[in-house]
Amino acid sequence: MTACASLVALVFLQVTAASAQETTAAVAPQEEAADSADAASNSGNEIIVSGSRAIVDGTNAPTPVTVMSNEQLKTASPSSLIDGLNQLPVFASSIRPNSTGSSGSGQGGNGGNYLNLRALLPTRTLVLLDGRRTVASSIQTNATDVTLFPQMLISRVDVVTGGASAAYGSDAVAGVVNFIVDTKFRGLRAEAQSGISTYGDGFSYRVGVAGGHAFADDRGHIIASFEHAETKGIDDANARSWAATGYGIIPSTIAQSGTTQIFAPDVRLNGATFGGTIQSCLPAGVTCPIANMFFNQDGSLSPFVTGRFASSSVASGGSGAAVRTNITTGNWTNTAYLRAQYEFSDAVRLFAEGIYADVNTEYRGAPSNVTSGSTALTIFADNAFLPDAVRAVMATNGITSFRMGRSNKEIAPNRNRTNTKTWRGVAGIEGSLGGSWNYSLALERSRAHYQLFGRNNLIIENFYNGADSVIDPATNRPVCRSTLLGLPQGQGCVPIDLFGEDSASAEAIAYAAGTAKADLYLNQTNVMLDFRGSPFDTWAGPVSLAFGAEYRKETAVQKVDPISGKVKSNAGIRGFPTSANGQPGGFALSNPQPIQGEFSVKEAYGEIVVPLARDIPFLYSLDLNGAVRYADYSNVGGVWTWKIGATWEPISALRFRATRSRDIRAAGIAELFTASQQTAGLSVRDTTLPGAPAVAPVTRQTRGNGGLQPEVADTVTAGIVVTPGSGVNLSVDYYSIKIDGAITQSTLQQVVDGCAAGNTELCGLITRNGPGGSISSIITPFLNLAQVKTSGLDIEAGYRTDLGGGQLTLRALANHTFELETTNDGISVDRAGDMGLRDAVAKWTLSGSASYASEGGTTVFVQGRYLSGGKYDSTLGPTALPVEQNHVPAVFYADVTLKQRIGEPASGVEFFLTVNNLFNRKPPLAPQGAVTIPRQTNPYFYDMVGRYFTVGARARF
């Protein structure tokens, strides 16, 4: 009822614009309308907004299309056009720079922006620039980072919110996002802006310049742009009061809390401190008076205080080390764009364009420096640095060694730096074939070069080798035991003092830690041939036809550092953890593995629009639209996709539309060819054991599968558009998408539960700490394993009118998701309303705005954004998480922008001030990340920064 009331309020009190599904003109404020008109007049070309290759007039398209102009997006979010786009309700859980640094997230987002329509993952959202593909920027997401597009020259963005594989090809399961460049822009634009949070951090700035010039009597045209943007990350986990609480979701027991998990504050490691905590003594059964003691700065011992809800890995409070990560990620980008075209005649127009983008991110990752649980240190009585008092206790009690948990503070938190350089070139010829027929032939080549530097990463063999130190009797100085024995592992070994905080020397740290490196090249070659025209007329008008062919090849080659590529070995290293022996990757974290693979696809398509009626009673218009595409993949063979749709206008102010389509998504490079990769610090309930105890930390290993088949999706859309005049517009569209053979990885819990149910194949994916021991790692390969279903409503409404010498524009957009259900191994889980998870969606998402532009050039823009509340995780019953904690409240954000133009709309200077999150709304409690490194909220849904001020100026000449 609350969500419905909010929807009614936004639609009828703010009454904002639906006809964005049809055209931007009906909702554009004055200066925007001027810009749009200017762009249209400069181009001399028709504007196609349809979600179709055959339809010229987008108002007759059966597939819903939301259109946002550059001005609208930048007014809503001046930091970037992409941030404004992500505020549309149809996008959910998009990967953004601020979500890249999530502890334990393993997103592989490279610090970029990856759009996610309907929370179906970026891999199922096809992103285009002027209708053409661009190479993927991330091998994990298999999607294009839209940061590299020329934001200053983008005239609008068309969002096709229905299946579009027949028209555009693979990946368009959730829809298509098409960025349209103003190819006929004339003049010069410049902009500069800067922003800062209300807390004085998160500083950002952006500068850019764009220009366009016509020559040879308008037969030639050239445009270019350069943009630089930078945002400082917020590294301090205590920089926000909500983050300083240290809340996380941690294992518990029925006896402790009545549940197997609980939200708890001040999450700390249990049994591990910055100076080292003695956990147990060997041999087994020996008296151990030093157990549960930790080393102080001076090497003395103090009792370890165990916190509440203590498990083998973490507790709430107590003496354990508090390990935290950043709040937001720092990033900086440079993008350059150049395009030239020359029209020799109506039949021959040559064009070429190029993009260069340099995207950088730096963030604190999950610390690799924790040694506890299955990776705890074994300290022997002859250790060179062992305090004499402790050595004496060991000798008195017959203790030969003890197990020690430690968070190695001297080795700074794992700090990841990513750099992605992208080059893209397109060259082609287009023109008229006579009559209504046009053609286009284009060649696109693009390359993304991604580099990862995972600094301060423990080198497992070196660390445990250096930890086993002894006194060299010849020099009376500490040496590695392996060095003293003359073993190969002793060459270059540096002994490490681990007793007390900051006890290790700089030389020991340099030996024990290093930098994991990945060097990845992704390449794409694309040849496209398209024809469009009208072969004949029916009694109701001309038939529109489009057909063409496409060839695409994608390749990937990744090289890694020698340590990441090796297999860990305990040879010659006393005290080496059993769980690590024989595991791939020499570092504690990341360990990127070599990748090499390629595939190609040959496609042919056809699309037709047939008008059946015009201007007769109850048949003001009636059109049918159909499309078919055949794709022949080098690795899986041929597959068909198709679409059929219709639009019916009984009267001019009322339109009904519907589509039915079969769409596909073929597996990407990562899903096909990825070697084993790790994500550490996770948790799972071991349902193979009585009581299903929680186990942490657990390492997840992922790997590719060359036998994957394409996903197959069936999509239905049906909607109504009402345009009664007087500036009022309303549209409501229903959608339903069902994906069979969805490519996915089982969750850790699904693997364990399947093993518990008797699936021996799944049991083989689990590694334990010795026979009958606790789980240490689980393999989760890619499989055509799941079925995914989603359905809901998209609602848009708008109103525009002249008022008081200016123009008032009201707009509202809403999405109501009925279901987002995944079925895996016969078990169905609906993630609609699960607000604590990444791959989920709010049941209600609303955005409403009001804009008033005066004749004097002053504009006031106010926007409200609403996310409904829901469960934290609907799969967690009352014994898994307390009922009162399994709820995330609704949130509402308000933004305001003030603009003042000096000069005419098409020229002059505009100054602006924007305040995002005006009321400084704190994110709700929805813990994320690895159990040992808590993050208190969900960065995919909620604002992490707080109130943010942006000031700037834009000039056009």
Side-chain angles (χ1 to χ4, degrees), residues 754-814:
C755 175
N759 188 324
T760 57
E761 184 178 356
L762 293 179
C763 291
L765 301 176
I766 300 173
T767 299
R768 295 180 179 272
N769 294 307
S774 61
I775 296 172
S776 61
S777 67
I778 299 174
I779 299 172
T780 56
F782 289 98
L783 298 167
N784 289 105
L785 195 64
Q787 181 187 83
V788 179
K789 295 191 299 182
T790 187
S791 62
L793 292 176
D794 291 324
I795 305 168
E796 299 195 17
Y799 176 67
R800 192 181 69 181
T801 187
D802 294 332
L803 180 67
Q807 190 173 86
L808 175 68
T809 302
L810 305 176
R811 180 172 192 165
L813 303 95

Side-chain angles (χ1 to χ4, degrees), residues 269 272-274 321 323 364-372 375 377 405-414 456-460 463-464 498 512-513 588-589 933:
L269 301 178
T273 55
F274 292 125
V323 183
R364 292 173 63 186
S368 68
N369 53 17
V370 176
T371 47
S372 186
T375 61
L377 292 149
R406 193 175 194 273
S407 181
N408 303 293
K409 184 180 178 182
E410 305 90 333
I411 303 173
N414 180 245
N456 305 327
N457 205 338
L458 272 187
I459 305 171
I460 296 298
F463 180 74
Y464 288 95
L498 298 171
L589 288 178
I933 315 129

Side-chain angles (χ1 to χ4, degrees), residues 22-187:
E22 308 300 334
T23 172
T24 55
V27 296
Q30 283 183 333
E31 62 268 50
E32 178 193 331
D35 284 349
S36 299
D38 184 63
S41 64
N42 282 343
S43 68
N45 296 329
E46 61 195 353
I47 297 178
I48 303 172
V49 183
S50 64
S52 162
R53 293 186 185 270
I55 300 174
V56 173
D57 182 2
T59 61
N60 294 323
T63 304
V65 182
T66 296
V67 181
M68 297 293 291
S69 73
N70 185 303
E71 182 70 20
Q72 288 170 315
L73 294 170
K74 284 192 173 180
T75 298
S77 182
S79 58
S80 79
L81 179 148
I82 313 307
D83 288 345
L85 194 63
N86 266 315
Q87 292 177 6
L88 296 181
V90 293
F91 292 101
S93 298
S94 294
I95 298 176
R96 297 166 294 163
N98 280 351
S99 60
T100 301
S102 304
S103 62
S105 64
Q107 294 309 314
N110 303 5
N113 280 285
Y114 299 89
L115 299 174
N116 188 358
L117 276 170
R118 309 213 184 284
L120 289 176
L121 302 183
T123 55
R124 300 187 181 110
T125 298
L126 178 58
V127 173
L128 305 173
L129 180 64
D130 279 336
R132 302 183 184 95
R133 292 174 182 260
T134 298
V135 68
S137 307
S138 162
I139 197 168
Q140 285 88 357
T141 63
N142 192 38
T144 298
D145 175 11
V146 294
T147 305
L148 60 89
F149 292 163
Q151 295 189 35
M152 292 188 67
L153 288 172
I154 297 296
S155 61
R156 69 175 198 275
V157 182
D158 301 343
V159 182
V160 183
T161 54
S165 291
Y168 292 103
S170 177
D171 305 334
V173 171
V176 175
V177 184
N178 192 9
F179 290 76
I180 307 300
V181 176
D182 183 359
T183 59
K184 288 290 188 175
F185 171 69
R186 295 182 185 182

